[in-house]
Amino acid sequence: MSDLNIRLALPQDARQLREIYAPYVERTAISFETVPPTATAMLRRRDEIVKRYPYLVAEQDGALLGYAYAHPFVGRAAYDWSAEVTIYLRMDARHKGIGGRLYRTLEDIARAQGILNLNACIGVPKGADDEYLTHNSVDFHAHMGYAPVGTFHDSGYKFGRWYDMVWMEKMLGEHKTPAAPIRPFPEIRKDFGL
C-alpha cells in the first residue's frame, strides 16, 4: 500500500475513528467496552492523548483504514518510560500490512520521546478461538517483537463468557541510570512531519 499515508489524527477524524472502533465494541471481545463511544467522546480521548503521546491514523484516498496510539501506562511518574499501545483497523483493512506500518511509526516516535517499554493489554479467549475473540492480536504483537509477560485470568465478561487478558511488552532501548526525561510528543512531532 504505497499510497497509504500515516499522519496525526485530527479533530475532524472523530467520526471515522468511531466508525472503525464501534464494530469491535459491538461485535467482538477485542474491546471490553460494551457501548461504543460517541464521536465526541473519541475526540476527547484523542485530545487528551496528543498532549503527551502520538495518536496516528492510516489514511488512503481520504478514508481512514486504522489508528494506533500510545497512552500512559498506569499514569504515575515513575512509569514515564513505559507506555501502553492500542491499535484498531477497519474490519476490511486487516491483514494488509497497515497495522505493522502504524506500529513501526508509533515505535519510532516513542523511541524519540525516550520511552523504553511498550506494553499491550490484549483480550484472549480461554482456549480455542471463538466467534467473538481470536488469538490474532497476540500473533500480531509477537510478529512485531512483543513478548508475553503475564496473564490475568477471567478479567473480562462479555457476550456471556469470561475472557483472560494477556500483557505483552517490547523493549525499545537500554535502561540507563540516570534516566533521561521523556520528551512529550508535541515537542518532537515536527521531527516526524506530523
Side-chain angles (χ1 to χ4, degrees):
M1 301 196 105
S2 58
D3 55 345
L4 187 71
N5 181 35
I6 306 292
R7 64 167 175 79
L8 182 65
L10 301 172
Q12 58 266 34
D13 295 324
R15 182 186 55 77
Q16 286 191 75
L17 294 172
R18 185 201 184 277
E19 288 171 2
I20 291 168
Y21 184 55
Y24 289 96
V25 175
E26 295 167 336
R27 300 194 305 260
T28 80
I30 293 170
S31 168
F32 280 2
E33 288 193 78
T34 57
V35 176
T38 64
T40 301
M42 293 294 287
L43 176 59
R44 277 195 304 269
R45 293 176 186 187
R46 184 216 78 101
D47 289 349
E48 190 60 32
I49 288 165
V50 298
K51 291 177 184 176
R52 187 160 172 91
Y53 299 98
Y55 196 127
L56 306 174
V57 297
E59 178 184 51
Q60 186 175 44
D61 299 325
L64 298 190
L65 301 180
Y67 64 91
Y69 58 88
H71 49 107
F73 177 74
V74 180
R76 294 189 172 92
Y79 290 109
D80 276 357
W81 295 266
S82 297
E84 188 176 343
V85 290
T86 297
I87 186 168
Y88 287 96
L89 300 178
R90 208 170 70 188
M91 290 290 185
D92 63 346
R94 296 179 297 174
H95 309 293
K96 296 180 180 179
I98 297 166
R101 288 194 49 195
L102 276 166
Y103 255 27
R104 282 188 292 278
T105 304
L106 193 67
E107 290 171 5
D108 289 344
I109 294 169
R111 275 188 200 92
Q113 288 185 266
I115 293 170
L116 300 173
N117 300 22
L118 291 181
N119 304 290
C121 183
I122 304 165
V124 293
K126 298 180 74 56
D129 294 351
D130 67 35
E131 67 270 32
Y132 302 112
L133 190 59
T134 69
H135 289 86
N136 284 347
S137 187
V138 169
D139 295 342
F140 167 75
H141 283 84
H143 175 75
M144 295 301 298
Y146 288 71
V149 292
T151 301
F152 296 144
H153 300 281
D154 299 318
S155 295
Y157 184 77
K158 192 171 181 181
F159 303 121
R161 61 192 74 184
W162 289 100
Y163 290 101
D164 292 345
M165 297 299 300
V166 297
W167 279 95
M168 298 181 77
E169 71 179 358
K170 182 174 184 175
M171 298 300 178
L172 297 181
E174 186 180 344
H175 294 71
K176 298 178 181 176
T177 304
I182 298 301
R183 298 173 66 198
F185 173 65
E187 289 181 12
I188 64 165
R189 65 179 274 198
K190 288 190 167 89
D191 297 345
F192 291 88
L194 299 170

